[in-house]
């Protein structure tokens, strides 16, 4: 069987347009853009749209998605974003053109595997400038690792260095942080006696500096996912500002209404845990009209992160397989069998695109 709803519709022209807007602005600052496809489960149609929109290459954190795109005939090149585990080194060499790295033991294992497979492999060595995720914390160690790759690992090419900010540790990417990375790049260049090809300043959260025209010269590479896919960045929402040149309605979740009833807005009985072991608080707003939708947290992750397009509709609650919406204030009289649309947040996209039972359709409109 193939379930009709929930249905996820992907606008390829809007994604191509977002890619063109972002890559042209970056190009004007001397920055090449890698299109990140992990948010959409490595969908090959989207990978192709990114390349058509001007991305130099593609990247994701999971090798399976790179294999999926290669097998669909999307040429790449491909970079693996999650620093590789020792156990996946053979697949990194087999499937990826470049990878992000932060451990000398893994770099040495890559060299040995490249010898075995008679291949070469490019690496971007990561620095941690405060976000406490992947990367060398000690800058002397980073320089030594780069020299080691350059001098002692002949099958590896040191493509450059990179950083990630505004993620695990929620540190804002600033011109100061970028200048720290550029200075570190100059140290590496002095130590190896040549220029680095890539000084990679981060992800969507670093594109804000291109947007605000504050990106220091010297950063020549960004790795962008969320902004290409959804036309927004959490940091900008926090600043209450849009990038008005980007489309935010690139993805549409369509859900079917399976029950409509007037019910109390405050649950009745003794309160305990909800579906995800939390004890929410409820506001008593009297009797409200409730529409039950046929998707849940298993399909979208955080249901409250969805952005309803139906005027007046709000998400009230969700189990793993159901979503309860308040439709009292909808001008349209919602009935069983109707469908309602949502735009997505990044978390919703991660879940929806990776479920085998959610229908995904790409359209040319
Ligand atoms: C996910 C990721 C990116 C892209 O992040 P977005 O916020 O989607 O732009 C860039 N670099 C690394 C290392 C990542 O893991």
């Amino acid at each position: 069987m193939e379930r009709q709803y929930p249905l996820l519709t992907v606008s390829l022209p809007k994604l191509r347009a977002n890619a063109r807007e972002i890559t042209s602005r970056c190009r004007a600052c001397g920055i090449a853009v890698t299109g990140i496809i992990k948010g959409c489960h490595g969908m090959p149609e989207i990978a192709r749209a990114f390349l058509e929109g001007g991305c130099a290459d593609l990247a994701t954190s999971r090798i399976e998605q790179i294999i999926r795109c290669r097998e669909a005939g999307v040429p790449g090149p491909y970079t693996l974003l999650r620093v590789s585990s020792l156990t996946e080194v053979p697949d990194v060499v087999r499937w990826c053109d470049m990878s992000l790295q932060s451990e000398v033991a893994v770099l040495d294992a890559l060299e040995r595997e490249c010898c075995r497979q008679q291949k070469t492999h490019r690496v971007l060595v990561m620095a941690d400038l405060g976000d406490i995720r992947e990367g060398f914390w000690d800058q002397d160690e980073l320089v030594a690792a780069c020299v080691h790759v350059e001098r002692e690992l002949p099958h590896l090419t040191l493509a450059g260095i990179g950083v990630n900010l505004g993620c695990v540790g929620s540190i804002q990417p600033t011109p100061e942080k970028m200048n720290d990375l550029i200075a570190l790049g100059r140290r590496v260049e002095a130590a190896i006696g040549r220029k680095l090809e890539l000084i990679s300043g981060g992800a969507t959260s670093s594109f804000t500096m291109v947007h605000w025209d504050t990106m220091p010269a010297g950063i020549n590479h960004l790795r962008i996912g969320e902004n290409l896919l959804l036309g927004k960045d959490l940091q900008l929402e926090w600043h209450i500002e849009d990038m008005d040149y980007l489309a935010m309605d690139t993805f549409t979740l369509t859900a079917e209404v399976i029950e409509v009833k007037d019910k109390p807005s405050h649950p009745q009985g003794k309160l305990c845990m909800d579906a995800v072991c939390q004890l929410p608080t409820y506001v008593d707003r009297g009797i409200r009209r409730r529409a039950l939708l046929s998707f849940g947290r298993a399909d979208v992750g955080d249901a409250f992160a969805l952005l309803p397009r139906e005027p007046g509709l709000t998400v009230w609650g969700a189990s793993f397989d159901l979503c309860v919406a308040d439709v009292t204030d909808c001008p349209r009289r919602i009935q069983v069998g109707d469908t309602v649309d949502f735009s997505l947040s990044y978390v919703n996209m991660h879940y929806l695109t990776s479920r085998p039972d959610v229908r995904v359709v790409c359209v040319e409109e």
Side-chain angles (χ1 to χ4, degrees), residues 36 38 81 100 133-134 164 203-204 223-226 346:
I36 308 302
K38 69 183 181 200
L81 286 177
L100 275 51
R133 41 176 289 153
E134 81 281 86
N164 218 30
T204 289
R223 313 173 303 270
I224 300 182
E226 183 179 12
Y346 209 24

Side-chain angles (χ1 to χ4, degrees), residues 172 207-213 227 231-246 248:
Q172 189 182 356
F207 177 73
T208 49
M209 286 177 279
V210 176
H211 175 74
W212 289 321
D213 205 16
N227 230 332
K232 61 180 180 173
D233 171 53
L234 295 171
Q235 224 196 132
L236 281 184
E237 278 175 43
W238 179 55
H239 282 88
I240 315 176
E241 182 187 349
D242 283 344
M243 295 174 176
D244 55 13
Y245 46 88
L246 297 180
M248 293 177 19

Side-chain angles (χ1 to χ4, degrees), residues 131-310:
D131 214 52
I132 319 296
R133 41 176 289 153
E134 81 281 86
F136 284 90
W137 187 254
D138 184 320
Q139 302 203 344
D140 295 336
E141 263 179 44
L142 179 141
V143 174
C146 288
V147 170
H148 177 62
V149 172
E150 183 76 3
R151 303 227 175 107
E152 287 148 38
L153 307 182
H155 292 79
L156 300 190
T157 304
L158 176 67
I161 64 167
V163 72
N164 218 30
L165 293 160
C167 190
V168 178
S170 61
I171 291 303
Q172 189 182 356
T174 56
E176 293 71 41
K177 292 286 184 192
M178 294 298 106
N179 283 324
D180 290 348
L181 184 71
I182 294 164
L184 185 54
R186 300 297 166 251
R187 274 191 63 193
V188 173
E189 288 172 345
I192 62 175
R194 67 168 175 92
K195 276 197 84 64
L196 291 172
E197 184 188 325
L198 301 176
I199 307 287
S200 187
T204 289
S205 53
S206 291
F207 177 73
T208 49
M209 286 177 279
V210 176
H211 175 74
W212 289 321
D213 205 16
T214 56
M215 180 63 92
I219 299 295
N220 63 14
H221 182 246
L222 290 178
R223 313 173 303 270
I224 300 182
E226 183 179 12
N227 230 332
L228 291 165
L229 291 163
L230 290 173
K232 61 180 180 173
D233 171 53
L234 295 171
Q235 224 196 132
L236 281 184
E237 278 175 43
W238 179 55
H239 282 88
I240 315 176
E241 182 187 349
D242 283 344
M243 295 174 176
D244 55 13
Y245 46 88
L246 297 180
M248 293 177 19
D249 56 353
T250 44
F251 288 72
T252 306
L253 168 65
T254 304
E256 186 173 359
V257 176
I258 55 176
E259 178 189 299
V260 181
K261 294 194 192 305
D262 292 339
K263 297 189 184 181
S265 49
H266 199 284
Q268 305 282 300
K270 186 171 165 12
L271 288 176
C272 66
M273 299 290 183
D274 71 3
V276 287
C277 286
Q278 277 166 353
L279 216 176
T281 52
Y282 302 93
V283 183
D284 192 350
R285 302 172 66 201
I287 299 291
R288 305 285 291 178
R289 174 149 290 219
R290 296 316 172 87
L292 212 56
L293 307 175
S294 61
F295 69 84
R297 292 178 199 261
D299 305 279
V300 300
D302 180 4
F304 294 97
L306 288 167
L307 307 163
R309 289 202 205 145
E310 180 75 26

